[in-house]
Amino acid sequence: MAAPVVSADVPYRVIVHPQVKGSQIPRAALNSIFLKQAPKWGDGQAVQPIDQSVQSTIRQRFSNDVLGQGVVAVQVYWQRRMSSGLMPPPVKTTDEEIVSFVASTPGAIGYVSAATPLPDSVKAIEITD
């Protein structure tokens, strides 16, 4: 099993709805989820990714670290995909809105600033390589 990626310079945490199983997620799986190439969790439940605003520095880091491309490249990807009917993840503008969406949406996954206090209604998961 790969060692968890634990780095003090990662400014965000990935959070999921508490019913999502597991405490880790491979970076490649996270990439597939946020590019909507993986529509379901391992147990068959629909994945509900939620993105930060394109102006967010957290989104910029997440896009570079997890998706391997900048926010503009991801937007170009979605413009192409939307022409075939696939819609990008919804966007929330604050960490609190992301936490609220994830807490209230089964199958939800999002990312928030590492400094965001997390209630018991969501759980943080580690990214593995």
Side-chain angles (χ1 to χ4, degrees), residues 34-58:
F34 276 88
L35 295 179
K36 287 201 170 175
Q37 297 164 345
K40 296 189 182 302
W41 291 105
D43 63 3
Q45 184 174 41
V47 175
Q48 303 288 339
I50 183 85
D51 252 330
Q52 294 267 3
S53 159
V54 293
Q55 286 84 29
S56 163
T57 56
I58 299 300

Side-chain angles (χ1 to χ4, degrees), residues 21-72:
K21 293 175 177 39
S23 60
Q24 298 179 333
I25 188 165
R27 189 176 306 271
L30 199 54
N31 178 309
S32 293
I33 286 170
F34 276 88
L35 295 179
K36 287 201 170 175
Q37 297 164 345
K40 296 189 182 302
W41 291 105
D43 63 3
Q45 184 174 41
V47 175
Q48 303 288 339
I50 183 85
D51 252 330
Q52 294 267 3
S53 159
V54 293
Q55 286 84 29
S56 163
T57 56
I58 299 300
R59 179 161 178 181
Q60 292 167 9
R61 280 294 299 273
F62 181 85
S63 288
N64 289 326
D65 293 352
V66 174
L67 305 180
Q69 51 193 341
V71 171
V72 172

